[in-house]
Amino acid sequence: MVKAFVAKSLDDCLNILNQENVKIVAGGTDMLIQNRTHSGIAIGFKTDVLYVSLVDELKHITEDKSNIYIGATCSLEQILENNLVPKILRDSILEMASPAIRHTATLAGNIGNASPAGDSLVCLYLLDAKLEIKSINSTRYQLLKDFILGVRKIDLAKNEMITKIIIPKINFDLVYFRKVGPRLSDAISKLSFAGALRMENNLVKDIRFAFGAVNIFVVRRREIEEKLIGIDKKTIKDMSDEIIGYYSEFIKPIDDQRSNKLYRKEVCSNLIKEFLEKI
Ligand SMILES: Cc1cc2nc3c(=O)[nH]c(=O)nc-3n(C[C@H](O)[C@H](O)[C@H](O)COP(=O)(O)OP(=O)(O)OC[C@H]3O[C@@H](n4cnc5c(N)ncnc54)[C@H](O)[C@@H]3O)c2cc1C
């Protein structure tokens, strides 16, 4: 029989994770769907579970000079309503699920689920987000891009959990997020795009592009972004064909029930154009 543990504090979580072989459940909005059986029948978890959503210590959003810290049990709705959180991340959360799901679901859960269509991931990659990961005897920090190892694969030991999502503070002049889905709420992305730009003396100082659901990982290529630094405003606006060309080898969507690869590739090109037109 499957056992369910309910943690009331971070210490509880870390002790249980250390002693038992459990799978973490936060909001449960992915876990319950992935383990559902038939209508009206209890969820069929395959392993023991640890419910963490009552852990108050991880329900805070704080800041210091350099970063914003989002606790792992903060709900998406709590994050959406907090002005410390960068606008582009709130823009992506606003398009996730529906208000009812957002009151339960967490950002740590979206990360832990490691789906190529996870909507927050595009913005978190764009913002160079890091994770604080704890076990009973260690705390480590890891860039999100290194934590996600593949579809539903993450770099997390059995006795570890994500405790905070850390977002560096950066001021951009322009940020842009678009989720392309069949309808406004409760829709899984066909693809998503995030862009950010900072200019200095009319020249590009920092430019970032991230694409979701068009490869196993979110596509973000530093080497392409670096080629564009120092270009003036008028020139960068006219460079869409060149930039689309740079990304074409990395945007490798698949055909599935939500969309097909031709459509996804074409829309990525249109979104690059749309972002550059806003400069
Ligand atoms: C109707 C519906 C609509 C949805 N719409 C969207 C959408 O538009 N966009 C989107 O991206 N997603 C969507 N989802 C998926 C889901 O809501 C999100 O992925 C959500 O962020 C998951 O958070 P959770 O807290 O419920 O995770 P859970 O289901 O509790 O956990 C998900 C995974 O993360 C792990 N995990 C959770 N917390 C931690 C932690 N602290 N440390 C380590 N691992 C952890 C769990 O072990 C599990 O593997 C939708 C789901 C539903 C049911």
Side-chain angles (χ1 to χ4, degrees):
M1 191 160 104
V2 169
K3 279 190 277 185
F5 298 86
V6 181
K8 298 275 173 51
S9 67
L10 179 55
D11 275 353
D12 265 5
C13 288
L14 300 179
N15 277 311
I16 294 165
L17 283 167
N18 201 47
Q19 285 161 18
E20 309 285 340
N21 184 19
V22 286
K23 179 89 177 145
I24 296 172
V25 182
T29 60
D30 277 315
M31 284 288 286
L32 267 61
I33 299 288
Q34 286 159 14
N35 292 280
R36 71 181 181 270
T37 46
H38 297 290
S39 161
I41 297 179
I43 300 296
F45 286 124
K46 290 161 198 81
T47 57
D48 292 347
V49 288
L50 169 63
Y51 287 91
V52 299
S53 63
L54 296 181
V55 176
D56 279 336
E57 289 138 283
L58 302 180
K59 277 197 202 302
H60 301 286
I61 300 174
T62 57
E63 66 172 336
D64 63 17
K65 229 175 83 206
S66 321
N67 298 301
I68 314 290
Y69 301 86
I70 301 176
T73 58
C74 290
S75 71
L76 293 178
E77 199 64 24
Q78 189 186 342
I79 299 169
L80 189 59
E81 284 166 10
N82 192 308
N83 286 334
L84 287 181
V85 178
K87 179 185 175 307
I88 192 160
L89 180 58
R90 286 186 284 126
D91 288 348
S92 69
I93 291 174
L94 186 60
E95 299 214 16
M96 282 172 73
S98 58
I101 296 283
R102 289 198 299 264
H103 274 282
T104 311
T106 63
L107 193 56
N110 203 229
I111 295 168
N113 194 44
S115 158
D119 286 315
S120 73
L121 301 184
V122 186
C123 294
L124 292 171
Y125 271 65
L126 190 88
L127 296 167
D128 289 332
K130 257 194 289 183
L131 305 176
E132 180 189 82
I133 297 166
K134 279 189 186 284
S135 74
I136 194 154
N137 47 23
S138 71
T139 301
R140 65 183 176 95
Y141 296 89
Q142 188 172 27
L143 277 171
L144 174 65
K145 76 173 179 60
D146 300 326
F147 177 77
I148 295 190
L149 302 176
V151 179
R152 306 214 190 287
K153 291 200 187 99
I154 53 176
D155 184 12
L156 191 77
K158 277 267 168 227
N159 67 342
E160 289 182 322
M161 69 181 287
I162 302 167
T163 44
K164 283 179 192 157
I165 297 105
I166 304 171
I167 302 175
K169 283 184 177 173
I170 312 163
N171 286 323
F172 291 106
D173 300 308
L174 171 67
V175 290
Y176 179 58
F177 172 79
R178 272 293 295 273
K179 167 175 172 170
V180 179
R183 53 175 190 241
L184 271 182
S185 67
D186 274 344
I188 301 175
S189 283
K190 292 172 191 274
L191 67 108
S192 55
F193 170 84
L197 172 80
R198 186 157 62 91
M199 303 289 291
E200 212 172 85
N201 302 325
N202 223 25
L203 302 175
V204 173
K205 179 77 180 165
D206 188 352
I207 189 162
R208 304 178 183 197
F209 302 81
F211 305 83
V214 292
N215 207 324
I216 292 172
F217 303 99
V218 169
V219 173
R220 171 137 188 244
R221 305 299 307 184
R222 296 282 187 150
E223 74 280 13
I224 298 177
E225 294 170 3
E226 274 161 20
K227 279 189 210 189
L228 306 173
I229 296 193
I231 294 177
D232 67 82
K233 188 171 167 177
K234 183 174 176 323
T235 310
I236 194 88
K237 277 173 85 77
D238 292 336
M239 281 182 68
S240 55
D241 287 344
E242 214 168 325
I243 296 172
I244 290 164
Y246 292 149
Y247 279 100
S248 70
E249 66 175 294
F250 303 107
I251 294 178
K252 290 198 165 15
I254 53 165
D255 291 331
D256 63 14
Q257 73 277 20
R258 291 193 295 281
S259 193
N260 65 55
K261 53 187 167 201
L262 270 176
Y263 172 85
R264 285 178 158 128
K265 207 154 176 153
E266 190 62 31
V267 174
C268 282
S269 303
N270 290 344
L271 291 174
I272 291 175
K273 278 190 198 142
E274 212 166 279
F275 171 58
L276 295 174
E277 277 162 12
K278 290 185 181 297
I279 296 177

